[in-house]
Every structure is written in C-alpha cells, then in structure tokens.
Amino acid sequence: MIRGVRGAITIEHDDAELVLQDTTKLMQSIIAANQINPEDVASVVISTTPDIVSAFPAKAVRTLPNWNYVPVMCMHEMNVPGALPLCIRALVHVNTEVTQKDIQHIYLNDAVKLRPDLTK
C-alpha cells in the first residue's frame, strides 16, 4: 500500500544554504517520525513558494544516505495572495502498512500554521 507523508518548513530568507539545510532538516524529521526506508519510497515531490529561487530542495533529498536513487521533483506552489511565504513543502510517497491516521506529518517553524490539526 502506498501512502503520502506530508511535511513543510519555512526558512528565514531565500538563501541556497538555508534551502538545503532546512530541506534536510524537514526530510530527516519525516524519515525519523515514520521510520521510512528509502527502498520503500516511490517518489518525493518538493514544492516551494515562488519567493524561493536560490536552490533546488531536491538536491538536499538526493544527498541523504541511500536516497540518491529515489525520484525527486521540485516545483513552485501557486502564488495565492496571503499564502505563507518562504515555505518548502514535501510529499513523500511511501510503501507502508501504516494506516492513514497513523502517518506522522511534519510541520516545522511557521509551517505549523498550515495544518495545526496535524501538528503535535
């Protein structure tokens, strides 16, 4: 069975080092909370708000140990007025027997505002 594991993090400003560092932090948190093995991952979709242009967050995912063969794609979110700025979102498609309600979605920094119902 395949499940989607969501996560998001905000960065202080658009900077390549911050994009890579905070994407790594987000992914490590998603991986740890859900005990994800890269061999069980079908793909990862990473999006950024349009105000992030300094680096590809997918680069951070591909540098995680044993994640170099996992398909990862980046894209921009819709530019909706009033949307949370400087936000990186992840959607990990993982093969797992964990039920939907038991998936641990991760929201860090100001991204907790996106889904307070899922933030612990």
Side-chain angles (χ1 to χ4, degrees):
M1 183 173 314
I2 193 160
R3 299 276 188 220
V5 183
R6 287 288 317 271
I9 191 168
T10 54
I11 58 176
E12 291 182 23
H13 58 275
D14 184 27
D15 173 80
E17 187 174 321
L18 282 177
V19 169
L20 299 176
Q21 171 188 306
D22 286 358
T23 301
T24 299
K25 178 180 178 182
L26 173 62
M27 287 300 298
Q28 288 173 333
S29 297
I30 290 171
I31 292 164
N34 293 283
Q35 301 175 350
I36 296 174
N37 178 339
E39 284 295 319
D40 296 328
V41 177
S43 64
V44 179
V45 178
I46 304 277
S47 68
T48 66
T49 48
D51 50 3
I52 299 175
V53 296
S54 62
F56 292 108
K59 181 178 180 181
V61 178
R62 287 191 300 270
T63 61
L64 294 170
N66 302 313
W67 283 72
N68 53 317
Y69 294 114
V70 175
V72 183
M73 190 165 97
C74 291
M75 62 189 67
H76 276 304
E77 288 283 332
M78 295 172 50
N79 193 11
V80 176
L84 184 65
L86 297 168
C87 188
I88 301 166
R89 292 174 172 89
L91 175 58
V92 180
H93 302 104
V94 63
N95 292 296
T96 181
E97 296 300 318
V98 177
T99 63
Q100 275 295 24
K101 69 178 180 62
D102 292 324
I103 295 290
Q104 300 296 308
H105 304 283
I106 305 295
Y107 293 88
L108 304 172
N109 301 346
D110 281 346
V112 298
K113 296 174 184 174
L114 296 173
R115 290 297 304 264
D117 57 316
L118 297 179
T119 305
K120 295 184 187 244

